Amino acid sequence: MNGILGGLDPVAVVLAISGLLFIEECGVPLPFAPADLVLMLGGIAIATQGVNPALFVVAASLASIAGALVARAILKRAGAPALMKVAARLHVQGPIDRASRLLRRSGWLGVLAGRLIPGLRIHTSQVAGVIAMPRRTFIAGLLPAVVIYVGLFTGLGVLIGPAAITAVEHLQGLLVAGAVIVIAGLLLGLAQARLRSDEIRMLAQTRYGYFAA
């Protein structure tokens, strides 16, 4: 299996991506693997590596739901002071305030909206815990939001899958060609520098012999 995730068994791809989603949903920042990019990679794997789409969507959705419930439970126990401490450290007080206003004003619809607004997805789960939103209310907004989010970005990955693989292959070719050109240029530069050095040495020797005579 070639491609961006080449070399991995399809089941391993599903497990790896689901694990990353669960970790991020629990509130652990993963700047190197944001959920939208990870889901798009999953879609690319579906399109190019034979990953089962139903298995991937179900696993990714369950991992997201489980992580969000864990985040809500943790913050319900830890309380607002713990969330504000983390928010200050990560400089995310603004998004947390927006998520809080949204959930207090709109209930499960606020959960649905917050989970789909860029920058509020994880904080929505955290705030739901801090304000002790009932589990049933939280799940009512969480489930459709997860389905929409997972479906959207996985679908994008499926659509761009072949094009993404082609782009990577072209990029690899360009990188190889660029490396060859750079190496050739360096070798040519070194040869010219050496030739120039030899010319200067010969000229110096000639002048030295002339003055010595």
Side-chain angles (χ1 to χ4, degrees), residues 67-77 125 128-129 132-135 138:
L69 290 173
V70 168
R72 173 190 170 276
I74 291 174
L75 268 300
K76 183 178 181 180
R77 179 178 296 271
S125 303
M133 173 178 279
R135 184 192 299 267
F138 178 65

Side-chain angles (χ1 to χ4, degrees), residues 18-33 35 63-75 82-83 85-87 89-90 92 96 115 119-127 138:
S18 298
L20 289 173
L21 291 172
F22 175 79
I23 292 171
E24 187 188 50
E25 288 285 358
C26 286
V28 179
L30 296 177
F32 62 91
S64 298
I65 292 167
L69 290 173
V70 168
R72 173 190 170 276
I74 291 174
L75 268 300
L83 180 59
K85 184 177 180 180
V86 173
R89 183 174 302 174
L90 299 178
V92 292
I96 288 177
R115 294 277 312 182
L120 297 188
R121 181 169 52 87
I122 305 300
H123 302 313
T124 297
S125 303
Q126 296 170 334
V127 170
F138 178 65

Side-chain angles (χ1 to χ4, degrees), residues 2 13 15 19-20 37 45 49-50 53-54 62 65 72 80 96 100 103 121 131 168 170 181 190 199 203-206:
N2 297 321
V13 172
L15 292 176
L20 289 173
L37 176 59
Q49 296 182 221
L62 290 177
I65 292 167
R72 173 190 170 276
I96 288 177
S100 179
L103 266 61
R121 181 169 52 87
I131 67 174
V168 169
H170 288 168
I181 293 172
L190 289 173
E199 291 177 350
L203 180 60
Q205 290 175 350
T206 301

Side-chain angles (χ1 to χ4, degrees), residues 27-55:
V28 179
L30 296 177
F32 62 91
D36 47 5
L37 176 59
V38 166
L39 287 170
M40 289 180 68
L41 287 177
I44 292 172
I46 290 171
T48 62
Q49 296 182 221
V51 171
N52 186 293
L55 174 63

Side-chain angles (χ1 to χ4, degrees), residues 6-17:
L8 287 179
D9 180 81
V11 175
V13 172
V14 173
L15 292 176
I17 290 178

Side-chain angles (χ1 to χ4, degrees), residues 24 29 58 60-62 79 106 110 115 126 141 165 167 182 196 200 213:
E24 187 188 50
V58 170
S61 298
L62 290 177
S106 304
R115 294 277 312 182
Q126 296 170 334
I165 297 302
V182 170
R196 181 63 176 169
I200 293 174

